[in-house]
Amino acid sequence: MAEDIEKEALYYHRMAPAGKLSVQATKPLANQRDLSLAYSPGVAAACNLIKDDPNEVASVTARGNLIGVVSNGTAVLGLGNIGPLASKPVMEGKAVLFKKFAGIDVFDIEVDQTDVDKFCDVVAALEPTFGGINLEDIKAPECFEIEKRLRQRMNIPVFHDDQHGTAIIVAAAVYNGLEIVGKKFEDVKIVCSGAGAAALACLNMLVSMGAKRENITVCDIEGVVYKGREALMDEYKGVYAQETDARSLDDVIGEADVFMGLSAPRVLKPEMVKKMAKDPLILALANPTPEILPEEALAVRPDAIMATGRSDYPNQVNNVLCFPFIFRGALDVGATEINEEMKVACVKAIASLARKEASDIVANAYKSDDLSGFGRQYLIPKPFDPRLILEVAPAVAKAAMDSGVATRPIEDMEAYEQKLSGFVYRSGTVMKPIFDRAIRNPKRVVFTEGEEERVLRAVQFIVDDGIAKPVLVGRRDVVANRIEKLGLRLRIDEDFELCDPQNDPRYREYWQLYHQLLGRNGISQDFARTVVRTRTTVIGCLMLKRGEVDAMICGTIGLFGKHLRHVQEVIGTAEGVRDLSTINMLVLNKGIVFISDTHVTEEPTAVELAEMAVLSAKEVKTFGIEPKIAMLSHSNFGSSKKASAVKVREAVEILQRDYPDLEVEGEMHADTALNEELRESFLSDSKLSGEANLMIMPNLDAANISYNMLKMLGDGLSVGPILVGAAQPVHILTPSLTVRGIVNMTAVAVADAQKHEMDQS
């Protein structure tokens, strides 16, 4: 498995262009006029503006949204001192997270220097370039001194995420954990295993929250940190030295309220946990193997509250909950530093978000027990909770203003929050809640083209990540040979179930059911036998019909229409639905857009358009997105009397009359749908606010052409086609879909199967 991931990771990084980052122009450069504005002579105006008022640099350059991720490679993840050059992939990875989660641009800077004085000189000299510095993967104790000196020398935020990012999330978890068990910071006894940069920063943060130093005991590889100890001591660790005769973790763990581990696997033994105080809070954060596994701790102390650094257990302590958003708030007010007030505000904002009831949109996107409510299994938000930027960045910005370190205070906080909300779904992370939902409750999904190479590769990902329980339709010998040829690790009858059309004991039952369903449509028994032996989509439909699987994926080979016909014949439409339709999602640089109907109905009627809008809106909500529906036409609000425009107009009337809760407007042009100011120039009382994200096209040609053009020109992630309106979860893909696309659609199919199961119960 490790070798397989290593190969995939190298392939991922080597895909052209190499690496994970690029620099893109944000302004047009299409003609001589643009050139004269971007460079000489026009650029002189921007230079002179900054010379006269340095604060204007944020208004005319990218500096106000640019972070330097800086490392010397002396403590890289679990790899140790691998040097600056080898650390570059990690720094690029951190840059990608900044961009994806908070829209912050990054230059990664790898400095070939371990001398503290020289390193600080290099970084401090870069201040004119950046709006902030994120120090990364620098070993202790040098990292403490480097951050201290740079904060003194530089007039921009300097933040060592390995220390403070971890500290903020730990503090939020402890803050909420103590609330649940009714304890106070100033009263609790804390025992820490580990005395590196992250551990000491966590303790400092807990002290800022009210914990008493005299109630904190630290252990490291040499044992208890006590006064007078000489081995492996430094001034930073010495702050927590206690006057004690205890020398081991076992000696000090008794009656501890909080155990915090940032050390080594399995150092906290079950017998130690037994000695802790009532309702102990255990943060076992060593990765990938924590100081104690949650099931081991809970076996001896069911009253314990657990947090780890792993995503497969509740309460994951993950820095991504913090660092993009604390920098977002700091940059947006031009903060000169990230001070203690801003960090405390970040802690409380993260903790507060966990206490809030999940909105129906967020809850629908995740569909996990973690969102059932604030409690022992939900101390801190999920790393991909889209509300983090909306809660944390404004809290940090306000703290910066209140503490006097903001050079560009925000005057209208409500407008600022609205601006942030527009970013939430531009990050490209919209599929993560769907995957989380699928992994928590995987369903049986049949892949009708089980011999196809892309399907087999996708199934390997699906099995590895636990997204679904695959069932493949294909000839056993062909599937086995292709698995071997592709070098996959899949095992027939172990990793997935196989339905071999040439040798399946259910064959007779299948063809008889098919004949029963279609016997009055001219299908003879002989023909039914032939179809069920040769058409794998029919086999998949029959498996779904019989309840042997929960969802179906087909269409990677052949024409969409042929697959659709089999689905219509065997599965049919859901109760009350007139016809099937499809939507496609595109994640573009400017945002997310859904387009319907791209594959089914050639010339829908007004009633059918209205139905498409309603069905599509329900599917959009499964992604955690509130649908904003635009009914598109060549006409803008009655500007044309042609039949196609009138049809769309009638569909809008149906929707606004029968579905008043939907945010829908039309008939209108696409630019009108995407530009609120333009829309208001036509219609002052529009039922649609902001940018539309669900585009209902007037016919099949318009939908399909628009989708494929945007897919190619917009260079975005596409998810679909997503079939809506079927009686059971079915998705018909297209032959051009990639392995990644098949995996994405499998997660969607599982989410749909979960919802179908709930609806039927």
Side-chain angles (χ1 to χ4, degrees):
M1 180 64 179
E3 291 180 3
D4 190 63
I5 290 176
E6 184 174 319
K7 289 178 182 178
E8 291 173 10
L10 290 176
Y11 176 77
Y12 173 86
H13 283 80
R14 284 170 173 158
M15 282 191 301
K20 299 185 285 283
L21 292 176
S22 69
V23 177
Q24 293 184 327
T26 60
K27 300 294 187 297
L29 197 64
N31 51 45
Q32 183 61 41
R33 178 69 172 173
D34 290 343
L35 182 60
S36 67
L37 296 174
Y39 200 58
S40 182
V43 72
C47 295
N48 288 326
L49 181 69
I50 298 169
K51 183 188 69 173
D52 296 337
D53 182 0
N55 286 330
E56 289 288 352
V57 68
S59 70
V60 294
T61 76
R63 183 178 184 266
N65 193 51
L66 185 62
I67 291 292
V69 172
V70 185
S71 180
N72 62 6
T74 52
V76 181
L77 297 178
L79 303 174
N81 186 359
I82 61 174
L85 188 63
S87 78
K88 189 171 180 65
V90 178
M91 302 313 123
E92 285 190 357
K94 196 62 173 276
V96 169
L97 295 178
F98 268 112
K99 186 67 175 179
K100 284 292 184 182
F101 283 99
I104 295 172
D105 294 318
V106 170
F107 290 157
D108 60 294
I109 308 291
E110 292 76 32
V111 181
D112 190 8
Q113 186 56 256
T114 56
D115 180 85
V116 170
D117 292 330
K118 293 178 180 178
F119 184 89
C120 288
D121 287 342
V122 170
V123 179
L126 297 172
E127 183 170 345
T129 300
F130 296 109
I133 296 292
N134 184 89
L135 298 172
E136 192 77 16
D137 292 348
I138 302 169
K139 74 181 182 71
E142 289 89 338
C143 62
F144 301 117
E145 186 65 23
I146 287 171
E147 185 187 38
K148 177 182 175 182
R149 292 193 194 181
L150 290 176
R151 290 187 65 180
Q152 292 170 345
R153 292 176 62 175
M154 304 181 80
N155 202 37
I156 56 175
V158 177
F159 187 81
H160 186 205
D161 180 53
D162 297 337
Q163 295 180 56
H164 306 300
T166 303
I168 285 168
I169 310 308
V170 164
V174 174
Y175 184 77
N176 277 345
L178 295 182
E179 171 70 20
I180 289 169
V181 299
K183 298 180 183 180
K184 297 181 179 179
F185 271 102
E186 56 267 29
D187 298 330
V188 296
K189 175 183 176 181
I190 300 171
V191 173
C192 177
S193 175
L200 295 178
C202 288
L203 294 176
N204 292 340
M205 193 74 238
L206 294 179
V207 170
S208 294
M209 299 295 293
K212 303 295 186 185
R213 289 187 190 274
E214 58 265 29
N215 294 339
I216 298 173
T217 304
V218 178
C219 299
D220 63 7
I221 195 170
E222 287 288 323
V224 173
V225 175
Y226 61 89
K227 289 185 178 179
R229 197 183 98 174
E230 296 181 357
L232 292 180
M233 290 296 292
D234 57 60
E235 61 178 295
Y236 306 101
K237 192 185 303 184
V239 171
Y240 292 98
Q242 298 286 9
E243 193 74 59
T244 178
D245 294 328
R247 292 295 181 265
S248 70
L249 177 60
D250 189 43
D251 293 338
V252 298
I253 196 67
E255 293 303 310
D257 298 284
V258 178
F259 170 83
M260 186 177 71
L262 291 111
S263 54
R266 300 188 179 278
V267 298
L268 183 65
K269 307 300 181 184
E271 52 269 26
M272 297 181 189
V273 176
K274 285 183 181 180
K275 298 193 290 186
M276 294 182 71
K278 183 177 182 292
D279 293 317
L281 179 58
I282 301 172
L283 295 95
L285 306 179
N287 253 330
T289 305
E291 285 79 3
I292 188 169
L293 290 170
E295 55 267 30
E296 295 173 342
L298 293 171
V300 296
R301 289 298 298 271
D303 60 334
I305 299 177
M306 287 292 307
T308 71
R310 288 171 46 156
S311 61
D312 53 345
Y313 290 106
N315 301 322
Q316 182 192 12
V317 174
N318 190 323
N319 288 15
V320 81
L321 286 166
C322 164
F323 69 82
F325 315 117
I326 197 169
F327 265 107
R328 181 73 279 160
L331 289 175
D332 289 340
V333 295
T336 57
E337 64 175 338
I338 293 176
N339 58 26
E340 208 65 20
E341 292 89 340
M342 294 161 73
K343 288 189 281 184
V344 170
C346 187
V347 170
K348 292 184 176 180
I350 292 169
S352 175
L353 179 57
R355 300 185 189 196
K356 290 185 177 181
E357 181 180 345
S359 70
D360 59 336
I361 298 299
V362 174
N364 195 39
Y366 280 95
K367 287 290 185 199
S368 72
D369 292 337
D370 283 352
L371 291 180
S372 60
F374 172 58
R376 292 170 177 263
Q377 300 293 305
Y378 187 47
L379 293 180
I380 47 179
K382 296 183 72 65
F384 282 81
D385 192 322
R387 299 169 296 171
L388 278 163
I389 193 171
L390 307 179
E391 298 289 333
V392 177
V396 171
K398 188 175 186 303
M401 294 188 289
D402 292 344
S403 60
V405 298
T407 62
R408 299 190 305 275
I410 295 170
E411 296 181 2
D412 188 342
M413 189 59 71
E414 184 178 348
Y416 173 60
E417 291 172 357
Q418 289 178 350
K419 179 182 176 182
L420 290 176
S421 68
F423 170 78
V424 168
Y425 292 107
R426 289 202 299 271
S427 64
T429 59
V430 68
M431 283 299 298
K432 187 60 173 64
I434 302 295
F435 277 96
D436 282 353
R437 182 175 166 184
I439 290 168
R440 290 189 178 278
N441 185 16
K443 297 297 182 183
R444 299 164 299 173
V445 179
V446 59
F447 298 83
T448 63
E449 292 96 26
E451 298 175 2
E452 213 276 324
E453 177 180 333
R454 286 168 299 146
V455 171
L456 289 169
R457 290 189 182 279
V459 168
Q460 183 71 74
F461 282 108
I462 291 159
V463 169
D464 288 344
D465 293 345
I467 296 166
K469 300 173 182 177
V471 179
L472 273 59
V473 180
R475 292 164 293 178
R476 181 173 289 268
D477 56 341
V478 174
V479 172
N481 289 337
R482 289 186 180 171
I483 288 173
E484 182 179 4
K485 179 181 177 182
L486 295 171
L488 303 177
R489 291 169 284 104
L490 293 172
R491 296 162 299 176
I492 300 176
D493 301 327
E494 293 185 47
D495 294 320
F496 63 90
E497 179 186 331
L498 183 71
C499 173
D500 186 342
Q502 294 181 338
N503 183 24
D504 191 286
R506 297 165 293 186
Y507 169 67
R508 181 182 179 84
E509 296 172 8
Y510 283 173
W511 76 253
Q512 287 180 340
L513 174 58
Y514 185 67
H515 181 260
Q516 177 186 334
L517 293 169
L518 297 173
R520 293 185 179 276
N521 290 347
I523 301 296
S524 67
Q525 291 189 9
D526 286 343
F527 189 72
R529 292 188 185 96
T530 301
V531 167
V532 173
R533 185 76 77 186
T534 60
R535 298 186 187 177
T536 58
T537 298
V538 171
I539 296 172
C541 287
L542 293 170
M543 296 179 80
L544 185 59
K545 189 80 171 179
R546 284 162 51 93
E548 295 169 351
V549 295
D550 304 301
M552 186 179 95
I553 296 286
C554 64
T556 57
I557 299 173
L559 297 176
F560 185 96
K562 289 186 177 181
H563 295 284
L564 178 66
R565 179 166 58 82
H566 293 315
V567 171
Q568 289 170 324
E569 290 173 342
V570 179
I571 302 299
T573 59
E575 184 177 354
V577 174
R578 293 170 180 269
D579 199 4
L580 305 177
S581 56
T582 59
I583 56 174
N584 277 272
M585 181 177 75
L586 283 169
V587 183
L588 307 168
N589 289 332
K590 290 188 175 182
I592 289 174
V593 63
F594 293 83
I595 298 175
S596 180
D597 165 29
T598 52
H599 285 82
V600 180
T601 308
E602 186 176 357
E603 287 291 343
T605 64
V607 172
E608 289 170 333
L609 283 175
E611 182 179 77
M612 286 177 194
V614 172
L615 294 172
S616 297
K618 289 180 180 178
E619 190 69 26
V620 169
K621 286 185 177 182
T622 67
F623 289 89
I625 299 175
E626 188 64 53
K628 293 177 176 287
I629 308 169
M631 307 295 289
L632 297 187
S633 170
H634 71 277
S635 169
N636 247 338
F637 306 113
S639 64
S640 171
K641 304 301 180 185
K642 292 184 178 180
S644 62
V646 172
K647 174 182 68 175
V648 177
R649 199 174 311 146
E650 290 175 353
V652 174
E653 292 173 358
I654 294 170
L655 289 166
Q656 293 183 346
R657 181 191 69 217
D658 297 343
Y659 302 92
D661 293 338
L662 284 180
E663 192 172 345
V664 59
E665 193 55 270
E667 86 284 13
M668 57 183 166
H669 295 172
D671 56 350
T672 309
L674 296 169
N675 187 316
E676 185 173 30
E677 185 177 346
L678 177 61
R679 188 164 61 250
E680 288 182 350
S681 70
F682 287 101
L683 200 68
S684 59
D685 61 343
S686 172
K687 303 294 190 298
L688 181 66
S689 62
E691 296 181 5
N693 54 28
L694 173 53
M695 309 296 190
I696 308 298
M697 297 292 178
N699 58 40
L700 181 64
D701 284 343
N704 197 277
I705 292 168
S706 298
Y707 164 71
N708 282 294
M709 188 176 293
L710 277 173
K711 182 175 67 173
M712 297 305 295
L713 296 179
D715 192 27
L717 167 69
S718 63
V719 179
I722 302 169
L723 190 68
V724 295
Q728 293 175 271
V730 178
H731 293 296
I732 306 169
L733 311 186
T734 59
S736 63
L737 209 62
T738 63
V739 170
R740 180 185 182 187
I742 297 170
V743 174
N744 283 339
M745 283 305 303
T746 302
V748 171
V750 172
D752 287 344
Q754 293 168 349
K755 185 176 184 301
H756 181 76
E757 182 180 68
M758 291 176 61
D759 291 343
Q760 298 299 307
S761 61

